Amino acid sequence: MVEVVATGRAQLDGKVAVITGAARGQGRAHALRFAAEGADLILVDHCGSFEGQGYPPATTDELSETAAAVKDLGVRVVSYAVDVRDYEALHEAVTKGVRELGNRLDVVVANAAISAWGRIWEITEEQWQTVIDTNLTGVWHTLKACIPTMIDADNGGSIIVISSVAGIKPLPAQAHYSASKHGVVGLSKTAALELAPYKIRVNTIHPWAVNTAMASDTVLTALLRENPDFLKSFGQVLGDPQVAEPHDIADAALWLASDQSRTVTGVALPVDLGATIV
């Protein structure tokens, strides 16, 4: 017989988490879900735009709204308008936040990313570099800024990197995005190997068609009108729901952050309506 012990404690009670790209969308969902489970939070977001962006950028007001909503749930929170491409600023924000919240760090959600569309030969140098620098180098910066504190705290922990279906299969008109999202899988699996001796787990989540501002990209709408064959790569198995909500991804992140997944590391977890099997 298996004995089940109910502790009555929230799943992340007493833990501290860093979440990047936290102003809105998936980042806000992660923040609210983790706060509801007792985690104190360090929230980071660039709150700026980039060349070729087909959807509105996050704002500092949205980051403040997320922080206020988290605080209303009864946990501690600090927030910083920082670009993950800027390692020194990110490291300073993490260091200040950790110091303010008790000198520990248990969970990292590397969620900050941007999406852009364009055929390979039409992507500009700036668009390519901005996507790679944000989505891949920015994740490396996040891990580099957070891992030493996690090791020093000697509490183990969980790192969750938000990749994409485009990190498992290619998507047309997203060479730079797909390259960056495939890249973070390799980065995360290497981190899982290196951090296992410290009891720090590292996993990736691969969403598809999430109801956020990124999903309403006007550049994508125009591209699909001009290149209808691209739709052949956009299939999924589940039709209900037609798209995921941010809380669906946050639920998966919570599982990976909690002790319920204590035996799971180096995994690429699709939360994708079956998009990677068609």
Side-chain angles (χ1 to χ4, degrees), residues 32 39-40 50 70 88 90 98 149 159 174 177 226 267 273:
L32 293 175
D40 295 323
F50 61 94
V70 164
E88 295 301 329
L90 179 61
V98 165
T149 296
I159 296 173
Q174 284 214 305
Y177 184 80
E226 296 167 7
V267 163
L273 303 163

Side-chain angles (χ1 to χ4, degrees), residues 31-184:
L32 293 175
R33 193 74 179 90
F34 283 22
E37 291 294 335
D40 295 323
L41 300 179
I42 300 166
L43 306 180
V44 173
D45 203 298
H46 175 209
C47 303
S49 60
F50 61 94
E51 183 201 347
Q53 185 170 2
Y55 56 94
T59 66
T60 53
D61 284 346
E62 288 173 320
L63 181 59
S64 296
E65 290 167 6
T66 300
V70 164
K71 190 173 182 180
D72 286 344
L73 292 173
V75 299
R76 296 178 298 168
V77 58
V78 292
S79 61
Y80 305 97
V82 169
D83 189 339
V84 293
R85 293 176 294 176
D86 185 344
Y87 173 73
E88 295 301 329
L90 179 61
H91 181 263
E92 181 181 0
V94 170
T95 300
K96 287 170 60 177
V98 165
R99 187 184 305 121
E100 185 166 340
L101 297 181
N103 293 312
R104 68 178 295 158
L105 180 57
D106 306 274
V107 180
V108 176
V109 182
N111 170 75
I114 57 175
S115 175
W117 297 86
R119 295 179 298 183
I120 292 172
W121 62 96
E122 295 170 336
I123 296 169
T124 69
E125 290 281 342
E126 182 178 348
Q127 288 169 338
W128 173 272
Q129 203 61 57
T130 302
V131 169
I132 297 297
D133 286 350
T134 302
N135 296 4
L136 179 53
T137 305
V139 171
W140 172 60
H141 284 167
T142 302
L143 271 57
K144 183 177 173 66
C146 293
I147 286 170
T149 296
M150 298 179 78
I151 291 174
D152 290 344
D154 196 26
N155 295 313
S158 176
I159 296 173
I160 301 137
V161 175
I162 307 301
S163 180
S164 167
V165 160
I168 296 175
K169 72 175 189 178
L171 292 177
Q174 284 214 305
H176 43 356
Y177 184 80
S178 187
S180 71
K181 292 301 190 176
H182 274 74
V184 297

Side-chain angles (χ1 to χ4, degrees), residues 194-218:
E194 294 179 353
L195 294 173
Y198 303 100
K199 298 182 180 179
I200 298 171
R201 300 178 294 107
V202 187
N203 298 284
T204 55
I205 295 177
H206 298 260
W208 170 249
V210 184
N211 184 20
T212 66
M214 190 182 288
S216 62
D217 195 308
T218 56

